[in-house]
Amino acid sequence: MILRDIRDYFKKKVEDSQGKIPYFVFGIDEKALRESVGTFDNIFMFVDYGQIESSIDKMNRIYQKFELAVTIAKPVGANPLDNDSLNEVSFECYELAVAMAKDMYTAQRERPWMKNLSDSFSIMPFVAPDIARSIGCTLSFRVEGYDMLGFKK
């Protein structure tokens, strides 16, 4: 199923990151995210998914859109960091998010769900004082296409 494929893809990316991203969290439960990140001491990747929209067109084709976000951030917790240090953490997370976007669009032929990546995405700052004072970036994108959930198979 598409959620498992997405989770497995990003989990493998973390495993292949050679320690640049040592932690991975997948899901939609903010409390579980806060508890997990509270134990982290370095950069993490959090993959979050949103709603799936589905419609049927006049030719009886099922078209679906799926919202996803990949956050790459670092908990700074109670560590007092100066502005330059905070910027360095933010820059590192931004560079990892850009590299992730490049990898995803380059690898579209490798995974069935990736063939349906939307043509647009966004990278935005991530600041979460209530999640171990984490800072980083979020890459948000859509996966959209015909019958991605296999209704007609």
Side-chain angles (χ1 to χ4, degrees):
M1 200 57 151
I2 192 167
L3 278 178
R4 290 179 201 279
D5 292 342
I6 291 167
R7 179 203 57 200
D8 293 348
Y9 173 80
F10 287 107
K11 190 174 184 178
K12 179 88 169 101
K13 287 302 216 179
V14 167
E15 291 167 1
D16 293 345
S17 75
Q18 299 174 338
K20 291 180 184 175
I21 306 173
Y23 302 106
F24 178 74
V25 181
F26 181 87
I28 57 173
D29 185 346
E30 189 175 327
K31 182 181 177 195
L33 173 65
R34 276 195 307 269
E35 290 171 359
S36 293
V37 173
T39 67
F40 298 165
D41 62 352
N42 207 335
I43 292 177
F44 64 92
M45 178 188 294
F46 169 55
V47 178
D48 183 14
Y49 56 93
Q51 69 183 26
I52 296 175
E53 293 180 29
S54 186
S55 60
I56 298 175
D57 65 15
K58 292 177 182 178
M59 298 177 68
N60 201 32
R61 295 179 297 186
I62 298 172
Y63 192 79
Q64 292 153 337
K65 295 179 185 178
F66 194 33
E67 303 289 333
L68 294 155
V70 176
T71 298
I72 299 174
K74 182 176 184 177
V76 294
N79 298 331
L81 296 178
D82 61 29
N83 194 46
D84 288 341
S85 297
L86 288 172
N87 281 335
E88 284 305 314
V89 170
S90 184
F91 296 159
E92 183 179 7
C93 293
Y94 169 78
E95 290 163 357
L96 290 167
V98 169
M100 182 64 61
K102 286 180 186 176
D103 287 349
M104 289 168 53
Y105 283 90
T106 301
Q108 282 183 306
R109 292 184 207 126
E110 295 175 17
R111 307 230 183 233
W113 68 269
M114 293 183 81
K115 294 175 188 172
N116 295 312
L117 284 175
S118 64
D119 291 336
S120 61
F121 66 89
S122 63
I123 297 176
M124 59 201 115
F126 177 81
V127 179
D130 58 333
I131 304 175
R133 216 173 127 229
S134 296
I135 60 170
C137 292
T138 297
L139 166 66
S140 66
F141 58 96
R142 276 190 328 270
V143 177
E144 55 185 295
Y146 290 102
D147 199 19
M148 292 186 308
L149 300 177
F151 286 3
K152 290 193 168 190
K153 292 180 182 172

